[in-house]
Amino acid sequence: MDNYRNKLKVFISSKIGSNENDQKYMLARTAAKKVLEMTGLFTVYSFETAGPSTGSAIDDYQEELKASDVCIVLIDNKDGVPEGVKKEIETINKFRIPTLYYFCEERNNQPTQLQEILQNPAGPKFSVIPSFNKFIENCTVNLVDDVLSTYKIKRSLNVQNDVSEDNNLTVQTQLMSSSFYKKEALMNSYCRAFFNNLIFDEKNEIDVDKTDKNFDYYCYKFLSVLFGNDDIESFNMDLFLESLQKILPPNYYEIVKIRWNSNQKYYLEKHDESMELLRKAFEMAKKDGNIEEWFIQDILIDLRNKENEIAELNNEVHRNNYGQNLLNEQKDRVYYPIVDRNEKELLDWIEKDRQKHDLKNNYRESYYGDLSFLGNLIADNYYQMMMFGSLTHISRIYLVIQKLVYQLSVTSDYWPYIVLLLKLTILTSDYNKVEKIVGSFENILEQMDETEARDIYEWSNYLKPSHQQFKANLIAMRTIGLYLNDSDCSYVNKWHIFF
């Protein structure tokens, strides 16, 4: 019974105190924890059994609450709703944590103000109980029933979902045919798990097999550069290229290897060397009669964009852009197999969902079934970008995710989506867009706590190389700087000269 891997995390909220009357809460929490955990389905946070911590008790249990899958609130009508529980309920509402409420009327049968608020038909479930003993008896049965009911609803939503995931990467080009790839080359379970955890907060444990460090593994490791504090020097480029060599034909591999060496120089801000290597990759691809046109054009797009970026760094304007001139000479329209198709499928879903939302007479909130197929589309594109060394497409990953998260934020008004949206928009380095996001979501800054403000600033450090990171830092500080805690003085002191 105790070997289930994906247990639900339960947080029990109630009054905490040391006087004789408050002991009943502690006994009820302890008993409920024991009964719930005996099912093997739940792990229960208990204030009494939590170990020591360097942080404050309030911070600790607030973080435990945010990480919970479900919450149970126990209130004695006679005692009312204490301040600590009120703060926990604010967090519950902010993060939309599914919650079961219990109101004990043993000493007072008059409903509390909270109970009256919850009587709204759209409100969460609550139960009136005659005693704390009844709470211990009922909470496990009620929670299991609620979990099963939620599963049935989610299954129904998934069946109704009119967009199905296509796992077969079939495209109409010779390069993408099954004869080009080995079957295992299209397996990217690590990347899919990462993006679904990032976007949908699925909390799936990524079980990395370190004995089989394939291309998927190294693509997953590179995500710590894009969505973490790792720099390019900490990424094992040699082993990454070794894994790539196993899945690409030799002529493509030799060109992609040069592209990745160019990308590495770019992240190290050795721009002249990066451009020289990219021109070399273009010349090799052009001379090889077996290289497809879309791949050559993709190299030219990188050349054009890098030249523009270098000119911007030097406060110059290059009207005669080498990459753009060569792109203008190409007969065929730029088309990136798989990536363009997947992105179109993603944007089609966003547009269809937007129209559904607009037709709901401005009803604000929407609820979705399993959206992991959208995360998989993004992961599959990222995987392809890494395979062919397309820096432009790799850099666009923030924008692509931002478009999806924007739609989810608008339709669901779900706080974690809104915070993620602000983080991703900052990573696009577009301050005007950041201002529009802040203006579009009411009170986004006022609802933000110090931890969230600090986390948003930390995200701005993910953008690389350093000149791009500097822009993101400025935008982040200008947006959330006033909401940082005084203890974050290292940030404040770093930026006070600009504000």
Side-chain angles (χ1 to χ4, degrees):
M1 289 286 289
D2 200 35
N3 294 326
Y4 297 122
R5 293 178 58 192
N6 297 314
K7 296 182 181 182
L8 292 178
K9 295 184 67 175
V10 180
F11 186 99
I12 300 178
S13 172
S14 72
K15 185 180 180 182
I16 295 174
S18 57
N19 62 45
E20 185 176 347
N21 178 61
D22 296 334
Q23 294 306 300
K24 64 186 179 186
Y25 293 102
M26 185 271 290
L27 293 172
R29 286 193 303 271
T30 303
K33 172 181 168 67
K34 184 175 181 180
V35 175
L36 286 167
E37 291 186 340
M38 282 177 63
T39 66
L41 302 173
F42 310 103
T43 58
V44 183
Y45 172 78
S46 171
F47 180 79
E48 288 79 17
T49 58
S53 171
T54 56
S56 70
I58 294 176
D59 289 343
D60 284 348
Y61 69 68
Q62 280 285 342
E63 290 305 312
E64 289 289 341
L65 176 56
K66 292 176 187 177
S68 297
D69 299 300
V70 64
C71 185
I72 298 172
V73 178
L74 174 60
I75 293 167
D76 186 330
N77 287 1
K78 178 70 173 177
D79 296 333
V81 185
E83 284 302 315
V85 175
K86 285 181 181 178
K87 289 183 179 180
E88 289 167 2
I89 292 173
E90 288 176 3
T91 300
I92 288 168
N93 293 334
K94 185 176 181 180
F95 288 88
R96 302 271 187 82
I97 303 169
T99 303
L100 302 179
Y101 289 86
Y102 292 88
F103 296 90
C104 180
E105 60 177 9
E106 183 175 15
R107 298 190 298 152
N108 184 356
N109 60 9
Q110 293 300 313
T112 63
Q113 184 180 5
L114 174 62
Q115 186 176 338
E116 292 175 349
I117 293 172
L118 294 178
Q119 287 176 344
N120 183 322
K125 298 177 181 179
F126 72 88
S127 176
V128 178
I129 52 175
S131 68
F132 272 41
N133 287 336
K134 209 65 178 175
F135 163 75
I136 297 169
E137 293 175 17
N138 292 352
C139 71
T140 300
V141 174
N142 294 159
L143 183 55
V144 172
D145 283 347
D146 192 68
V147 169
L148 293 175
S149 175
T150 301
Y151 174 79
K152 289 180 180 179
I153 293 172
K154 182 176 180 180
R155 182 177 180 276
S156 175
L157 287 169
N158 291 340
V159 171
Q160 295 170 18
N161 206 325
D162 55 1
V163 181
S164 61
E165 177 192 355
D166 178 10
N167 284 319
N168 299 314
L169 302 176
T170 54
V171 289
Q172 299 176 354
T173 65
Q174 177 186 355
L175 176 60
M176 297 301 163
S177 67
S178 59
S179 61
F180 182 82
Y181 287 127
K182 296 178 182 178
K183 184 177 180 181
E184 58 270 19
L186 299 177
M187 302 299 292
N188 56 327
S189 57
Y190 297 152
C191 296
R192 285 185 169 195
F194 176 90
F195 282 106
N196 282 311
N197 284 350
L198 174 73
I199 301 168
F200 306 115
D201 196 25
E202 291 191 352
K203 302 175 185 175
N204 292 327
E205 183 177 344
I206 302 178
D207 188 14
V208 177
D209 182 4
K210 293 187 177 181
T211 63
D212 182 23
K213 296 181 179 179
N214 55 17
F215 183 67
D216 181 28
Y217 170 82
Y218 288 105
C219 289
Y220 167 69
K221 295 295 288 184
F222 191 77
L223 288 166
S224 295
V225 177
L226 297 177
F227 293 92
N229 292 315
D230 288 1
D231 56 31
I232 192 65
E233 292 174 305
S234 65
F235 180 68
N236 197 322
M237 186 64 70
D238 290 338
L239 291 178
F240 165 75
L241 292 173
E242 186 179 307
S243 68
L244 179 60
Q245 189 173 16
K246 296 176 182 178
I247 59 177
L248 282 180
N251 58 337
Y252 276 90
Y253 169 73
E254 292 302 325
I255 298 169
V256 174
K257 179 181 178 181
I258 295 173
R259 290 190 77 178
W260 268 109
N261 288 334
S262 172
N263 294 344
Q264 189 176 41
K265 297 295 185 183
Y266 167 79
Y267 283 115
L268 293 171
E269 298 201 273
K270 297 180 179 180
H271 298 297
D272 291 340
E273 294 178 43
S274 176
M275 288 291 289
E276 184 178 344
L277 286 166
L278 200 53
R279 289 193 183 97
K280 181 179 178 181
F282 167 69
E283 292 299 332
M284 285 182 63
K286 189 177 179 180
K287 288 179 182 178
D288 190 321
N290 295 317
I291 299 297
E292 292 204 11
E293 188 65 27
W294 69 265
F295 182 67
I296 295 173
Q297 291 187 33
D298 187 56
I299 298 174
L300 291 176
I301 290 171
D302 274 0
L303 270 170
R304 177 196 65 192
N305 294 345
K306 280 186 180 179
E307 184 172 340
N308 286 337
E309 188 172 337
I310 293 170
E312 182 182 345
L313 277 172
N314 295 327
N315 292 319
E316 299 172 351
V317 177
H318 290 187
R319 302 188 185 281
N320 191 25
N321 186 293
Y322 175 75
Q324 185 61 58
N325 289 340
L326 290 172
L327 278 171
N328 293 339
E329 296 174 3
Q330 304 301 309
K331 297 178 182 179
D332 297 329
R333 178 186 175 189
V334 179
Y335 177 76
Y336 201 134
I338 297 183
V339 170
D340 286 351
R341 188 201 67 170
N342 285 350
E343 188 164 330
K344 181 181 183 301
E345 188 173 340
L346 176 68
L347 294 177
D348 285 348
W349 183 91
I350 291 173
E351 175 59 21
K352 192 177 295 185
D353 191 64
R354 185 192 65 77
Q355 292 183 24
K356 285 181 182 178
H357 178 69
D358 290 347
L359 293 173
K360 288 182 179 180
N361 297 321
N362 296 320
Y363 178 67
R364 180 70 171 170
E365 298 172 8
S366 295
Y367 298 91
Y368 298 99
D370 182 8
L371 295 181
S372 61
F373 69 95
L374 297 174
N376 291 346
L377 288 174
I378 293 170
D380 294 348
N381 274 8
Y382 166 73
Y383 191 78
Q384 293 294 315
M385 300 165 197
M386 294 292 289
M387 188 177 293
F388 294 103
S390 177
L391 183 64
T392 296
H393 280 87
I394 291 171
S395 301
R396 284 188 71 250
I397 195 71
Y398 307 120
L399 178 61
V400 174
I401 302 174
Q402 191 259 4
K403 291 179 179 179
L404 172 59
V405 175
Y406 175 79
Q407 178 61 22
L408 296 174
S409 299
V410 168
T411 56
S412 70
D413 203 29
Y414 181 46
W415 178 250
Y417 282 156
I418 295 171
V419 173
L420 179 59
L421 173 64
L422 184 55
K423 293 174 179 176
L424 290 165
T425 310
I426 288 172
L427 290 180
T428 67
S429 297
D430 187 337
Y431 181 66
N432 290 331
K433 187 179 290 185
V434 172
E435 280 195 316
K436 290 178 181 178
I437 293 297
V438 172
S440 298
F441 294 89
E442 295 180 6
N443 303 321
I444 180 174
L445 298 179
E446 287 77 5
Q447 292 184 61
M448 189 180 303
D449 60 32
E450 296 161 351
T451 301
E452 290 162 342
R454 183 168 58 251
D455 192 38
I456 288 169
Y457 180 84
E458 287 291 351
W459 264 65
S460 70
N461 286 323
Y462 295 168
L463 199 59
K464 301 172 182 74
S466 59
H467 68 274
Q468 295 284 6
Q469 184 184 101
F470 181 73
K471 290 198 308 189
N473 287 162
L474 281 173
I475 294 172
M477 184 55 64
R478 186 168 181 177
T479 306
I480 54 86
L482 294 176
Y483 299 88
L484 291 170
N485 189 293
D486 290 342
S487 63
D488 298 319
C489 59
S490 58
Y491 299 147
V492 177
N493 290 340
K494 179 179 180 181
W495 297 109
H496 77 279
I497 60 173
F498 296 101
F499 303 100

